[in-house]
Amino acid sequence: MAEQLSNTPKLATSLIQLLDKFASITGRVSAIAIAFMVIITVAVVILRYGFSMGSVAAQESVTYLHAWLFMLAMSYGLKSDSHVRVDIFYRNFSKTSRNWVNAIGGLVFLLPMCAALVYYGWDYAERSWAIREVSVEAGGIPAVFLLKSLIPVAASLLLLQCLAEVLANTLELMGYAPERSAIER
């Protein structure tokens, strides 16, 4: 095993580790949204039912945090292999077959989808920034353009992590065992 690791292309392994670390950081940062979502939701409920007060901006902030959580944590979900998978056959595959499925699936399905989301999402967010789009609700958050910016950002992060996964699976198919950072769960 040590001999195999010493033959692993160092540049590819370094790139995989860098992208894995970046996905871990975005996953941890996104997890912060959960605490804020809970705090704001409790405050909204207390204000509404305890004091008959409401805040559209507070309610919208929960939606923004929810979007932040899921959009930015997608790359971490791919890295930690905790994404949704139709696992009827996959779970019984050998490690080599799984590597083939992951590498080809990433190249054929995920990378083109991410590229399309970056391309179209960029235009969508750019138009929103151009008019500094605001909430349609009175008292809402005047920064819809920030929320729409999550689309190309999330797709870019997912695209980068997909590249790391395809590269790692391809290296394993070539007989190398790239060192991957541990998954923190």
Side-chain angles (χ1 to χ4, degrees):
M1 184 71 170
E3 186 177 305
Q4 199 175 28
L5 286 175
S6 66
N7 292 332
T8 304
K10 292 186 187 287
L11 181 62
T13 300
S14 296
L15 179 61
I16 292 167
Q17 289 172 344
L18 177 69
L19 294 173
D20 280 352
K21 185 173 187 152
F22 192 65
S24 290
I25 291 168
T26 60
R28 276 189 242 118
V29 168
S30 295
I32 295 169
I34 296 170
F36 286 116
M37 282 173 45
V38 170
I39 292 166
I40 294 169
T41 302
V42 168
V44 165
V45 169
I46 290 171
L47 286 172
R48 176 178 289 157
Y49 296 106
F51 300 100
S52 297
M53 295 171 56
S55 170
V56 174
Q59 291 173 336
E60 283 187 358
S61 69
V62 173
T63 303
Y64 278 54
L65 288 167
H66 192 256
W68 174 26
L69 169 67
F70 283 98
M71 298 287 280
L72 297 183
M74 286 190 301
S75 61
Y76 179 76
L78 181 60
K79 173 194 179 284
S80 62
D81 200 30
S82 59
H83 56 286
V84 175
R85 179 192 313 265
V86 179
D87 207 6
I88 299 168
F89 303 109
Y90 184 86
R91 65 177 162 225
N92 296 323
F93 285 176
S94 67
K95 181 67 175 156
T96 301
S97 296
R98 287 182 185 184
N99 287 336
W100 276 108
V101 167
N102 292 338
I104 293 171
L107 285 172
V108 172
F109 298 111
L110 189 55
L111 280 175
M113 187 216 47
C114 288
L117 280 172
V118 169
Y119 180 78
Y120 292 109
W122 183 270
D123 187 47
Y124 186 62
E126 187 178 51
R127 280 182 278 153
S128 185
W129 273 86
I131 63 171
R132 296 288 192 257
E133 189 174 1
V134 298
S135 175
V136 295
E137 301 293 328
I141 297 175
V144 173
F145 56 93
L146 291 176
L147 186 62
K148 289 184 177 183
S149 297
L150 285 176
I151 296 169
V153 169
S156 298
L157 292 172
L158 189 58
L159 188 141
L160 289 173
Q161 189 57 38
C162 180
L163 289 173
E165 297 302 319
V166 167
L167 184 57
N169 283 291
T170 302
L171 286 174
E172 285 187 36
L173 287 169
M174 293 170 56
Y176 298 108
E179 287 184 45
R180 302 290 301 267
S181 60
I183 305 298
E184 309 88 21
R185 291 189 186 198

